[in-house]
Amino acid sequence: MAQLFSPRANIYSRVLIVGVLILIGGAGWATSAIFWSPSTTYVNVPLDQPVPFSHKHHVGDDGIDCRYCHTSVEKSRFAGMPTSETCMSCHSQIFPDAPVLAPVRQSFATNTPLKWNRVYDLPDYVWFDHSIHAAKGIGCSTCHGRVDQMPVTWRTTTLYMKWCLDCHREPQKFVRPRDKVFDMAWEPPRDQHAQGAKLVAAHKIDISGRLTNCGSCHQ
Amino acid sequence: MNEFASGASEWPSDLSRREFLRLSGATVALAGLGACTKQPIEKIVPHAKQPPEMIPGKPLHFASATTFNGYAQGILVTSREGRPIKIEGNPDHPASLGATTIWAQADLLDLYDPDRAKTVMHGDQPSTWNDFLRDVDLALQAQQPTGGAGIRILSESFTSPTLQAQLQVLLQKFPRARIDVWNPIAPDESPLRYDLSKARVIVALDSDFLFMHPAALRRARDFASSRRANENAAMSRLYVAEPTPTITGSTSQRAIFARSRRNSLVASASCRWVKEVSRLPPLTPGFARPPRICSRTETRAL
């Protein structure tokens, strides 16, 4: 009986095996790279806005509290966006003729809303409520980063489910005193683990497992 | 009344079953691919000037009313971001007491009905209110010499004092005009307010007062309270003569079927029944068989 395989078949089979492994690994790597790349997650990608609003100027330089514009952050699931009227309450006096503010003036004069591009956008199948997070001592900067240092606004987190669960599994790592929630400069202390555990108890954060129930967020 | 576009429920004749399966297979495959896309950028559109009572993300509740045969029923409407999404009864309204009819629940769909008029139409053509008023003015002027003998206003029954006053003004100008009021579905019911919670014996002649009635919600509540045996010395009794089966009839001790035009006959007989019934021992929950209020021959006569 003749040989079915020539000596070359050894080479072919090795190349084939290694090649397929590389191909599978490469596909996995490429998928992961796309999944985590800023073009998919929008992390650190500033979006175009009708007005180039600078949190750095308003929060960092002027020291305006978050709640001056995001009025419903403690009352509602939606933090609230400032109305054109809110902008004009200052800008009718300060920079009343600045060209960049023309859309705001026009919006206020014609009573047509500004259309901002949403920077932090959760999928529609996720229920998120700002008020409960603020009430339990999760600070703005934990999720939104140092917006007081952002000349234009960008996303600092992926908003992937893994990221949500990192905190919902171990809230003691991130929770802070209630009076520091709107403090941009707050950093976790060295003994955050011990402090956080105390705050979790004080703020009555339910760590019995309810926070990681599917239904907590996918209602 | 159809919430879907016309023809949406028809099976298109040029689509074979095989073709349909092929397309739905492709749809499923493409739906899987859809998970691979990233989220598109969405917009946030805040008010230019925010209404003071509004908290974005929180629903607002408005007290309002829907009408049944012209009589108002108090409702609470839940509205999210300016869109009404739910109707429930207003607990503070005497005709609702927190409950709604099935029609009030469905009134919400009216708001989103694609067939709802969006603009003034003249025949098939979109028109304007100004054109409408001009045309109506011309038509009314033509009626001036006859005192409005050719004017007929058709309406459902209504209780709005404003509309009443407006129609009075019209009737003063056109004394010979006529207003015709008619309800296509619900029968005319007297708006008299009975307190059913105090009634011991109720005889309903062709009156579906627990369901098809402007005060049905209130009356159902009152009727139920008069039937709570542990709170009352005796439950109230309900006897019904009706031409078709109704909710009220099925709730009664005894319903007999009688044509509406026999109502006077039933009514004259019912006086005697009420007397008889009031002599009966109090009805307790253990009382299984209701008494016959109508003899066999009487029933046949009806």
Side-chain angles (χ1 to χ4, degrees):
Chain A
M1 196 176 132
Q3 289 285 342
L4 273 177
F5 296 104
S6 68
R8 275 185 181 179
N10 284 339
I11 299 287
Y12 287 149
S13 63
R14 276 179 202 137
V15 167
L16 208 69
I17 289 165
V18 174
V20 164
L21 284 179
I22 287 175
L23 215 65
I24 291 171
W29 175 83
T31 310
S32 149
I34 293 170
F35 189 70
W36 292 101
S37 80
S39 74
T40 311
T41 61
Y42 294 107
V43 170
N44 298 333
V45 180
L47 298 183
D48 282 336
Q49 301 290 2
V51 180
F53 179 83
S54 167
H55 278 93
K56 181 175 189 293
H57 173 66
H58 290 85
V59 183
D61 303 347
D62 295 345
I64 299 173
D65 190 276
C66 310
R67 290 161 287 182
Y68 188 82
C69 300
H70 304 292
T71 49
S72 51
V73 70
E74 290 177 296
K75 300 176 224 160
S76 164
R77 66 187 171 82
F78 182 51
M81 282 288 276
T83 59
S84 310
E85 199 174 19
T86 311
C87 306
M88 290 305 283
S89 60
C90 291
H91 283 295
S92 55
Q93 307 293 325
I94 310 164
F95 305 126
D97 303 315
V100 285
L101 295 177
V104 180
R105 288 193 296 270
Q106 199 190 359
S107 157
F108 182 68
T110 59
N111 203 14
T112 43
L114 287 168
K115 290 186 178 174
W116 301 91
N117 285 317
R118 191 180 261 282
V119 176
Y120 275 74
D121 190 9
L122 279 169
D124 292 346
Y125 48 81
V126 180
W127 174 265
F128 176 81
D129 193 315
H130 272 96
S131 61
I132 188 69
H133 288 85
K136 296 284 180 182
I138 300 300
C140 306
S141 62
T142 301
C143 310
H144 293 285
R146 293 296 298 268
V147 289
D148 60 325
Q149 295 171 357
M150 293 181 189
V152 283
T153 317
W154 58 77
R155 204 187 269 192
T156 56
T157 51
T158 58
L159 302 182
Y160 285 163
M161 188 167 129
K162 175 186 181 302
W163 171 81
C164 299
L165 283 174
D166 282 348
C167 186
H168 272 215
R169 285 192 179 119
E170 293 176 302
Q172 66 273 15
K173 280 189 181 172
F174 303 94
V175 68
R176 58 175 90 175
R178 284 208 175 98
D179 57 343
K180 300 285 186 216
V181 165
F182 298 98
D183 185 354
M184 280 292 130
W186 184 86
E187 291 282 341
R190 278 168 187 277
D191 58 343
Q192 169 66 17
H193 229 87
Q195 293 291 329
K198 274 186 212 159
L199 289 170
V200 162
H203 295 174
K204 295 193 174 70
I205 298 176
D206 187 348
I207 48 170
S208 64
R210 221 180 106 202
L211 282 181
T212 48
N213 270 356
C214 309
S216 293
C217 310
H218 304 293
Q219 290 185 346
Chain B
M1 287 283 286
N2 189 353
E3 62 185 299
F4 301 109
S6 66
S9 59
E10 303 298 316
W11 184 261
S13 57
D14 53 346
L15 187 66
S16 71
R17 187 180 134 288
R18 200 167 280 205
E19 182 80 2
F20 172 75
L21 285 175
R22 197 178 347 214
L23 282 173
S24 53
T27 309
V28 169
L30 287 172
L33 272 183
C36 296
T37 56
K38 63 176 183 177
Q39 283 212 81
I41 298 287
E42 288 182 5
K43 301 279 182 189
I44 301 182
V45 188
H47 282 89
K49 290 164 196 165
Q50 185 149 311
E53 68 277 9
M54 182 146 187
I55 299 173
K58 288 265 181 196
L60 286 174
H61 302 277
F62 296 93
S64 183
T66 61
T67 57
F68 185 96
N69 268 17
Y71 293 96
Q73 294 171 341
I75 53 169
L76 292 178
V77 185
T78 307
S79 173
R80 272 194 179 280
E81 272 84 48
R83 287 183 185 80
I85 57 162
K86 188 78 182 85
I87 289 177
E88 278 302 336
N90 184 347
D92 295 335
H93 193 276
S96 162
L97 301 174
T100 55
T101 59
I102 53 173
W103 299 283
Q105 289 281 335
D107 271 347
L108 194 72
L109 295 174
D110 259 5
L111 295 174
Y112 302 103
D113 186 354
D115 291 338
R116 193 185 163 94
K118 293 185 180 70
T119 179
V120 182
M121 300 292 281
H122 187 109
D124 296 339
Q125 297 299 314
S127 182
T128 64
W129 279 111
N130 280 339
D131 287 351
F132 170 77
L133 290 176
R134 190 196 60 215
D135 289 351
V136 168
D137 242 20
L138 285 175
L140 286 182
Q141 271 165 26
Q143 291 291 325
Q144 207 84 27
T146 59
I151 300 177
R152 294 285 179 276
I153 294 174
L154 309 178
S155 164
E156 288 184 319
S157 53
F158 57 89
T159 55
S160 157
T162 312
L163 187 55
Q164 193 92 43
Q166 286 168 338
L167 288 174
Q168 280 307 319
V169 171
L170 189 87
L171 281 181
Q172 274 162 18
K173 270 191 191 156
F174 301 101
R176 295 177 64 197
R178 225 172 70 194
I179 299 166
D180 289 317
V181 177
W182 191 66
N183 298 308
I185 296 172
D188 285 337
E189 283 277 4
S190 86
L192 278 176
R193 289 192 54 190
Y194 301 109
D195 188 353
L196 293 188
S197 64
K198 297 204 178 88
R200 285 219 40 227
V201 180
I202 303 159
V203 178
L205 307 176
D206 190 11
S207 167
D208 190 8
F209 69 89
L210 290 178
F211 186 65
M212 190 70 86
H213 189 278
L217 295 170
R218 175 60 185 257
R219 285 181 175 170
R221 203 60 87 77
D222 288 346
F223 176 65
S225 79
S226 78
R227 305 273 283 183
R228 268 188 210 104
N230 50 358
E231 289 170 23
N232 300 295
M235 288 163 69
S236 69
R237 296 158 197 276
L238 170 62
Y239 299 101
V240 174
E242 57 190 3
T244 54
T246 63
I247 298 280
T248 307
S250 63
T251 318
S252 66
Q253 247 72 47
R254 185 157 170 82
I256 54 173
F257 295 109
R259 277 173 286 179
S260 292
R261 63 190 163 95
R262 300 279 193 180
N263 268 350
S264 58
L265 189 62
V266 177
S268 64
S270 66
C271 286
R272 185 169 54 81
W273 300 339
V274 171
K275 265 184 212 150
E276 273 175 24
V277 165
S278 58
R279 279 203 299 274
L280 288 169
L283 195 66
T284 54
F287 199 109
R289 208 171 139 271
R292 290 189 82 84
I293 57 166
C294 205
S295 71
R296 246 173 246 281
T297 41
E298 270 175 326
T299 313
R300 264 200 297 276
L302 295 167

